[in-house]
Amino acid sequence: MDLGEAGDSPWGGMISPSSMHSLHVAQWSSDVPSQSTSKSPTFAREESSTKSQDAESSQQSQSSIKSPTGRGSRGPIRRLVTQPTRLEAADDPLGPLGPLGANASPGTDAQADEPPAPPQKEQMVIRTTMPQPTQRRAGPADPHRIDDEEIDRPAAPRAPPPVQVAQPSPVRTTGQPSVSIEQAAKPSFYITVGDPIKVGDLTSSHIVYSVRTKTTSKGYKQPEFEVKRRYRDFLWLYNTMHGNNPGVVVPPPPEKQALNRFESNFVESRRAALEKMLNKIAAHPTLQHDPDLKLFLESESFNVDVKHKERREPIPGESKGVFGSLGINMGGGSKFVEQDDWFHDRRVYLDALENQLKALMKSMDTMVNQRKAMAESAGEFSASLHALSTVELSPTLSGPLDALADLQLTIRDIYDRQAQQDVLTFGITIDEYIRLIGSVKQAFSQRQKAFYSWHNAESELQKRKSAQDKLLRQGRSQQDRLNQVGAEVADAERKVHQARLLFEDMGRLMRAELDRFEREKVEDFKSSVETFLESAVEAQKELIEKWETFLMQLDAEDDETVFYRPPVYQSGDKPTGRGDTAVDRARATIDEDSD
């Protein structure tokens, strides 16, 4: 295609971008002469070089687009001189692939002319923690016994290293074993009742016990203290704690006895029962914080303090205590019908358990009485044997009879001791749980009274509401009376709410108390039966040992020193008088009777 003037061009005189750029550059350089002159020489040279390059490129573009016969240039064409770029080869000893090439020295020209070696796979270095044979350091032996020579051996399945036996830690703790926070915060009590002493005259005589207490509770003045108490003080503590803690099973004291109350066996059994009662009360999580227990264990002037307390506070009873403090009437009402099946089943179970324990206690008393009768019979048997040994003419028979009499005395003592141990080990537990069942039933009766008080409060509330409705129907003519009845209704609603909450709380508390009763019952009876069996076995072992010793003495007939033989005095052919022994006196009496 022939390119001519501007009118002949198909682009209509359009200027190429490179030409446009050169024109702008030239215009910018002519419009701003001051800036170009004020620049540094270095910048001026760079600028002139840039301008010449732009002009040359513009000329080349115009010559490539326009024909040689085109129109003339508008002005002088500036030629741009391009600066050639010089490329020089740099000696890189590592080559383009870095250190993966061959280990060739870059200084030799012969190797520089050779073609580059193909890349090789990098050798993987296996790092081990085992020291080299030449760098082995002295130290502890390797527990796994891995030698350096095994590294060079061919690959083979290696046996697992031996397992070292766990050694006990050399650090030993000398402190106490850790316990929970609840157990650490719970105070501990150790109470003993001892030293029973009879005091008073014939009409006011009684037994006084020493109550020693060791505790970690901060509520007491000292960690160890001792007071004197009599039986009625223990009874006061039981009744007071029952009134202060409705629904709680309070361990009861032993029953009062009018006859033979100063007998040694009875005093000892009562002392043990009182001691067990106090320890159970102190171990109870609720009763151990009762202020009356602190008064009983710590007060030096107990009778005076109790009188002051009774003046300040009412004596806990059926209508007093917790119920009296709430203003709740403990009415009896109709016969109580248990609505909760759980409590009904427990009540039936307690009745059956009480009957069985009473029957067991009766059998226990019969067995103890039989042991005492056997002990008494053994004593009578011993006296008869001893009397026979004194009149026996043959010394070889009088000695064994006398030894058998002594053995029967030992058997009597064993029977007496075993009877006393049966009472103190198993009998006291049976009697304690018979009394505990009575305490549980008393808690049941308190719950029934709480139920009655709740329903009585509800009936009273209905009466108040009926009176209020009657006044409301009459109108506002009796506004003062209406306000008074409204206050009474509000007070009755408060009592109903408190009575209902008390009844529900007592139910939850009694469930926990009966669970505690079952756990303690199992533990106490298990311990009592074990002690009862151990004492019986020890008694039988002692009896067997005594009888075996006696039989060994009978078998040794040739040994004259086994049994005691009374000496016989003889002078000549006729006796001159009575001897000094019982046998001699019996012989003399027989001779006189025969004469």
Side-chain angles (χ1 to χ4, degrees):
M1 183 176 181
D2 189 7
L3 299 177
E5 294 295 335
D8 301 335
S9 174
W11 290 284
M14 184 178 292
I15 304 174
S16 63
S18 59
S19 302
M20 198 71 176
H21 176 70
S22 62
L23 290 176
H24 282 297
V25 171
Q27 185 178 1
W28 178 80
S29 61
S30 61
D31 291 340
V32 192
S34 59
Q35 294 179 3
S36 61
T37 56
S38 62
K39 294 177 182 179
S40 60
T42 306
F43 184 79
R45 286 195 301 271
E46 294 178 357
E47 186 177 0
S48 60
S49 174
T50 306
K51 291 179 180 180
S52 60
Q53 292 178 4
D54 294 340
E56 184 176 359
S57 61
S58 176
Q59 183 179 3
Q60 292 178 0
S61 62
Q62 290 180 1
S63 60
S64 62
I65 297 174
K66 296 182 180 181
S67 63
T69 60
R71 61 182 182 179
S73 62
R74 299 178 181 178
I77 299 174
R78 297 182 180 181
R79 299 183 180 276
L80 301 178
V81 181
T82 59
Q83 297 182 359
T85 301
R86 184 178 180 182
L87 300 178
E88 295 182 357
D91 297 335
D92 189 1
L94 300 178
L97 298 180
L100 298 178
N103 296 329
S105 59
T108 58
D109 297 337
Q111 295 180 358
D113 296 338
E114 295 179 358
Q120 300 179 1
K121 185 182 294 185
E122 182 181 2
Q123 300 293 332
M124 297 188 63
V125 181
I126 300 176
R127 298 182 179 179
T128 59
T129 57
M130 302 303 299
Q132 299 296 330
T134 57
Q135 298 179 356
R136 181 174 297 176
R137 295 177 295 179
D142 187 7
H144 302 293
R145 299 179 181 178
I146 300 178
D147 298 333
D148 297 328
E149 292 79 1
E150 296 181 358
I151 301 177
D152 300 335
R153 296 177 183 176
R158 180 178 298 174
V163 179
Q164 299 292 335
V165 180
Q167 300 293 333
S169 175
V171 180
R172 296 183 179 179
T173 58
T174 58
Q176 298 294 332
S178 60
V179 295
S180 62
I181 299 177
E182 291 79 4
Q183 293 178 354
K186 183 179 179 181
S188 61
F189 290 86
Y190 178 71
I191 304 174
T192 58
V193 178
D195 300 336
I197 301 175
K198 181 180 178 181
V199 296
D201 53 8
L202 183 61
T203 58
S204 62
S205 58
H206 58 276
I207 301 294
V208 175
Y209 302 92
S210 298
V211 181
R212 302 180 183 88
T213 306
K214 295 181 181 179
T215 179
T216 59
S217 176
K218 302 300 181 181
Y220 292 82
K221 298 178 182 179
Q222 298 178 357
E224 297 183 13
F225 41 88
E226 179 181 351
V227 291
K228 300 291 185 180
R229 296 290 181 265
R230 55 183 299 183
Y231 173 77
R232 70 179 183 185
D233 300 334
F234 290 87
L235 191 60
W236 173 89
L237 176 65
Y238 171 74
N239 294 328
T240 305
M241 299 193 78
H242 245 305
N244 296 340
N245 305 276
V248 178
V249 181
V250 182
E255 295 181 358
K256 193 172 183 179
Q257 183 173 341
L259 301 176
N260 301 325
R261 57 194 181 102
F262 299 114
E263 188 183 355
S264 60
N265 293 338
F266 173 75
V267 171
E268 175 61 23
S269 61
R270 170 176 280 189
R271 182 208 63 79
L274 294 175
E275 179 177 310
K276 200 167 187 179
M277 165 196 168
L278 289 181
N279 281 284
K280 283 202 168 187
I281 291 177
H284 197 280
T286 302
L287 300 178
Q288 65 179 197
H289 301 293
D290 195 292
D292 290 324
L293 177 63
K294 181 177 182 297
L295 177 65
F296 177 85
L297 295 177
E298 196 176 34
S299 176
E300 294 290 343
S301 56
F302 180 72
N303 295 328
V304 177
D305 294 338
V306 168
K307 290 181 180 179
H308 287 309
K309 177 180 174 60
E310 291 176 354
R311 291 194 188 100
R312 295 191 307 266
E313 302 174 3
I315 301 175
E318 293 184 358
S319 61
K320 298 181 180 180
V322 176
F323 300 100
S325 64
L326 298 177
I328 300 174
N329 184 18
M330 298 292 295
S334 60
K335 184 178 180 181
F336 176 76
V337 178
E338 183 61 61
Q339 303 295 332
D340 195 332
D341 294 338
W342 190 88
F343 283 99
H344 176 72
D345 296 340
R346 290 299 183 276
R347 187 61 183 263
V348 173
Y349 161 73
L350 289 174
D351 291 338
L353 179 62
E354 183 180 17
N355 294 332
Q356 294 295 331
L357 289 179
K358 287 182 178 179
L360 181 60
M361 190 65 185
K362 185 177 180 180
S363 302
M364 189 78 181
D365 292 339
T366 302
M367 184 183 65
V368 170
N369 292 332
Q370 288 179 355
R371 292 190 190 279
K372 292 181 178 179
M374 290 177 63
E376 185 178 357
S377 299
E380 294 176 357
F381 186 41
S382 174
S384 299
L385 290 174
H386 184 71
L388 180 60
S389 66
T390 57
V391 297
E392 177 59 40
L393 298 179
S394 174
T396 58
L397 183 58
S398 61
L401 288 177
D402 195 20
L404 183 59
D406 295 338
L407 177 60
Q408 291 300 318
L409 291 178
T410 304
I411 293 175
R412 182 197 62 183
D413 296 338
I414 293 175
Y415 283 155
D416 282 334
R417 186 173 67 250
Q418 188 176 1
Q420 183 67 15
Q421 287 178 351
D422 292 345
V423 172
L424 295 178
T425 55
F426 198 31
I428 193 175
T429 304
I430 299 173
D431 182 66
E432 175 192 1
Y433 273 88
I434 292 175
R435 292 181 282 106
L436 267 176
I437 290 175
S439 182
V440 173
K441 288 184 176 181
Q442 188 171 353
F444 269 92
S445 65
Q446 288 179 336
R447 179 174 173 272
Q448 293 179 8
K449 293 174 182 177
F451 179 81
Y452 290 143
S453 65
W454 177 23
H455 283 270
N456 290 336
E458 285 185 344
S459 62
E460 187 69 22
L461 176 61
Q462 295 298 328
K463 292 179 181 179
R464 302 297 182 187
K465 285 185 177 181
S466 299
Q468 187 181 24
D469 294 340
K470 184 177 180 180
L471 289 176
L472 289 175
R473 286 193 301 268
Q474 293 177 359
R476 298 181 177 272
S477 59
Q478 300 179 358
Q479 187 64 32
D480 296 338
R481 177 61 179 166
L482 188 61
N483 294 335
Q484 181 181 358
V485 172
E488 292 177 354
V489 168
D491 183 66
E493 289 178 348
R494 179 186 60 83
K495 290 183 179 180
V496 168
H497 180 68
Q498 291 179 349
R500 181 178 61 84
L501 290 181
L502 181 60
F503 177 75
E504 293 176 354
D505 292 342
M506 288 182 65
R508 288 191 293 267
L509 181 60
M510 287 189 63
R511 287 175 182 267
E513 287 296 307
L514 289 176
D515 292 341
R516 181 185 179 90
F517 171 81
E518 289 296 327
R519 292 195 305 268
E520 291 184 352
K521 183 193 69 174
V522 173
E523 295 176 359
D524 291 342
F525 270 91
K526 182 179 179 181
S527 176
S528 298
V529 170
E530 288 179 354
T531 308
F532 172 76
L533 294 178
E534 289 175 357
S535 62
V537 169
E538 292 297 329
Q540 295 300 321
K541 285 183 178 180
E542 187 175 359
L543 285 174
I544 293 173
E545 183 180 357
K546 297 297 182 182
W547 281 111
E548 287 180 348
T549 304
F550 181 74
L551 289 176
M552 292 175 62
Q553 292 175 352
L554 287 179
D555 293 339
E557 297 178 354
D558 298 336
D559 189 0
E560 298 180 356
T561 63
V562 173
F563 296 109
Y564 173 74
R565 295 179 180 179
V568 179
Y569 296 95
Q570 296 179 357
S571 59
D573 297 336
K574 296 181 181 180
T576 57
R578 295 181 178 182
D580 296 334
T581 64
V583 175
D584 295 333
R585 290 194 296 272
R587 287 174 178 173
T589 304
I590 293 173
D591 293 340
E592 291 176 357
D593 294 339
S594 61
D595 294 339

